[in-house]
Amino acid sequence: MIRPLTKLINKTLSVRLSLMIVSSMALLLLASLIVMLHYSRKAVREEALQKAAQTLDGTVQRIDNILLSVEQTTGNFYFNIMPHINNPDMMYVYSRKLVESNPYVTGCAIAFVPNFYPGRELLMAYFHRNDKGDIVQSETFADTPYTEQVWFTDPIETGMPKWQNPLSKDLSGLEPLITFSLPFYNIEGKPIGVIGVDVSLSLLTSIVLEAKPSPNSYCTLLDGKGTYIVHPDKSKLHQQTIFLTAEHSPDPSVKEAAQAMVSGETGNLPFRMNGIDYYVFFKPFSRATMPGRTIGKLGWSAGIVYPENDIFGDYNDLLYYVLAIAVVSILLLYLFCRIFIHHQLLPLRMLSEKAQLIAKGKYDDPIPESRHKDEIGRLQNNFQQMQQSLAAHIGELEQLTEQLTERDKGLREAYHQAQKADRLKTVFLHNMTNQMIEPSSAINKSVVALCGINSDEPGDQASYCTTENASQLIDDIQANGDTIAELLNNLIRLSDETIRKEAANV
């Protein structure tokens, strides 16, 4: 298939010109498309980055507003509880009220150090929302005593409020929570109890995921250890870290992105998971500075996970459309150039055919006059004049050839006649010579005989001649001389006639 195509290209000028034009246009178009698509992709990526940054800022602010709301609610109840710190029954009242007062709060535990109340070793007033949304009381939280749980032990040890995961162990069946722990202090400033306010990570996730920059993107929030605080897959909220996800992924880019987020960096990285390409845009979780807010940086990191198709989907579709349009345009351009150039080169094809006819000796086939004034039109008209001049010269040559042929024919006939005349002349001379031999011999004998009449030598032939015979001999000589003279006159006459005829023919 390649060889016939190459043969067609080498043989057809219109195809070569069309391919040259289309190739040049294709290169220019390709260069333009590459530049345009490069900057378009860059612009799309920058737009996605800007949108992700705005979404991240809004997400962080929204989460921080929720946390701030819980912190302020807890602080307000702290000041309400302190006057009734010695009344354990009021702890149950305030615990329930705190859950009722804030829709983000899913549970509240007010717990004290052992033996804080006389006669009661442990006291924890704990109310929480059940699956139906009702506020119910529970005696315990998880399967271990609250005095062994981090939400209680850390504030007691450090004396500082703290946001933390209240479940230090993998306790299945419990709602993933994040807890704000605010310690109580006695007069000496020693922690005597903790208000633990729970926020459901599922609730927090559902609230945050309402705002996302694209249909398939999602927000994620990690603590300093890489544990998921916000994630659309709620199963990951139960003591699962991003590093565990990275271990299950064969692509090392997932681990690289996880380490960058946990280390508190700001930026974006591509990664691949489950055969899908993603971009993650991340930044540290920064909290707003408020008067009286004691908790500063939490060491969290917020990220927006973008499927690459969400970022470049429309761009890729546009790319395919542009490439399809470019291919169709190139094909149409080639077809248009092919038709146009083929039409423009029709006079050249006609001239080529006429040249072949001229090469075969057909000079009279007419060439039409061109109405175009371009180079091809002028070439056609000049070729027409050349063909007409060549036809005229060839006609003259043919006429001259015919004349030369006729003259040659006449010369050949004259030559044959001359040869014939020469042969006849030779025969004639031969005959004339033969005819003159006898009279000449007779004259010779007569002369000899006549001369011997007066000879005295005996035995001579003249002795046999008499005087009477002399007259007869003279007559014989005269007669034979006349015969020879007549023959010579005839020869001269015939020669003169031949000369006159040849002069007349010339």
Side-chain angles (χ1 to χ4, degrees), residues 102-145:
N102 194 314
Y104 302 124
V105 174
T106 58
C108 177
I110 302 177
F112 293 89
V113 296
N115 301 314
F116 178 75
Y117 292 106
R120 305 182 68 169
E121 181 179 1
L122 300 176
L123 186 143
M124 182 183 71
Y126 177 52
F127 284 85
H128 65 93
R129 301 179 193 272
N130 61 14
D131 296 338
K132 296 180 180 180
D134 299 328
I135 300 176
V136 296
Q137 180 182 0
S138 295
E139 296 296 330
T140 60
F141 174 72
D143 296 331
T144 57

Side-chain angles (χ1 to χ4, degrees), residues 405-419:
T405 302
E406 292 178 357
R407 289 185 180 181
D408 181 68
K409 184 178 179 180
L411 290 174
R412 288 180 181 275
E413 292 178 356
Y415 176 72
H416 292 312
Q417 292 295 331
Q419 286 183 333

